[in-house]
Amino acid sequence: MKGLNKENFFFFNKDCENLVITPDSIEHAYLAILNEDLNSAETVFSHIDSPRAKWGKILTSILNGYMMDYPSFFQIRNFFEIDLEFLLKNNKINYVEQCLGALDIFSTINQEVYKFAARVMLENRLYKAALKYLDKSKQLYYKDAELHFIYAKYYFDIFHYEEAYFYINECLKLIPEYYPAKIMKKRIEEINF
């Protein structure tokens, strides 16, 4: 494998300076992905019996442009967002596009997947993509309080406070005691838009 430039490297932690990766570990497989050695990644994942490794095999096939097995609801919920962030932070844009290309299939298994993608895009200030996936998520399931919270955060971040206020109120209609939404509503109201 190629050597890593640890200055431009993200491995699930901001500080990777003292990172130690043991052979045939989950970390080893993800390092192989970063080095664009998908065959090695798949081999390593295949030798590990864990939910993360089973997802890793599916992820590797997606990155290769096909899907041998379908992920479960829980695999999507537990790992998709983390891995999308991992690939994006490591500038693996072609892999990010492969993952995003699988969303239509994933949405038949877990209808929240567009929301997960939107949150990653929003956290990385990819606002146009965030809105696209928020809108796709809204088409599948409007009554998702967390979706409305993310919409509110999106509009707050781009200084559209009226829209942010609308969505935070939609969120609170669904879950009136949603604490993060109550805090955000207060922040929006303090702006005096």
Side-chain angles (χ1 to χ4, degrees):
M1 281 187 224
K2 300 179 229 171
L4 289 175
N5 178 354
K6 289 188 177 181
E7 292 174 16
N8 297 323
F9 179 66
F10 173 81
F11 209 78
F12 308 108
N13 191 336
K14 289 182 182 178
D15 182 15
C16 296
E17 198 58 39
N18 297 316
L19 181 67
V20 176
I21 296 176
T22 59
D24 297 322
S25 64
I26 294 286
E27 295 83 2
H28 177 198
Y30 277 94
L31 182 60
I33 289 172
L34 291 183
N35 282 305
E36 300 184 15
D37 185 357
L38 298 178
N39 292 333
S40 292
E42 185 174 7
T43 299
V44 173
F45 283 133
S46 295
H47 291 108
I48 301 171
D49 184 23
S50 76
R52 182 77 169 176
K54 289 175 184 170
W55 160 259
K57 273 187 69 177
I58 294 167
L59 174 66
T60 304
S61 70
I62 292 165
L63 300 180
N64 266 319
Y66 63 90
M67 199 178 324
M68 291 288 285
D69 298 309
Y70 288 92
S72 70
F73 175 91
F74 290 108
Q75 286 172 322
I76 294 168
R77 185 185 79 182
N78 294 338
F79 305 121
F80 175 78
E81 189 173 348
I82 292 166
D83 285 352
L84 186 63
E85 175 84 6
F86 169 73
L87 295 169
L88 191 59
K89 289 244 189 271
N90 282 296
N91 251 353
K92 296 297 180 186
I93 303 307
N94 54 331
Y95 289 165
V96 169
E97 289 173 352
Q98 291 292 92
C99 289
L100 295 175
L103 289 180
D104 288 344
I105 294 169
F106 288 175
S107 71
T108 65
I109 301 164
N110 184 327
Q111 66 185 10
E112 292 183 285
V113 73
Y114 290 119
K115 176 179 68 177
F116 302 153
R119 186 170 29 223
V120 170
M121 298 300 139
L122 182 59
E123 291 303 315
N124 286 281
R125 296 187 174 119
L126 299 168
Y127 295 115
K128 191 174 182 178
L131 183 59
K132 173 184 175 180
Y133 294 117
L134 285 169
D135 289 344
K136 283 181 171 273
S137 186
K138 184 168 70 170
Q139 289 172 0
L140 285 180
Y141 186 61
Y142 185 82
K143 292 185 178 187
D144 180 340
E146 187 179 31
L147 171 67
H148 294 293
F149 180 79
I150 297 168
Y151 259 119
K153 185 172 178 353
Y154 164 79
Y155 282 114
F156 188 86
D157 285 357
I158 64 166
F159 312 107
H160 292 187
Y161 301 119
E162 284 185 39
E163 290 91 342
Y165 197 65
F166 169 81
Y167 280 106
I168 208 64
N169 284 320
E170 288 293 288
C171 174
L172 289 167
K173 281 182 199 173
L174 296 166
I175 303 178
E177 296 305 313
Y178 190 17
Y179 185 73
K182 291 167 104 176
I183 298 295
M184 179 170 268
K185 182 175 181 175
K186 185 177 177 186
R187 283 181 64 199
I188 296 167
E189 288 173 342
E190 288 172 353
I191 292 172
N192 294 322
F193 57 96

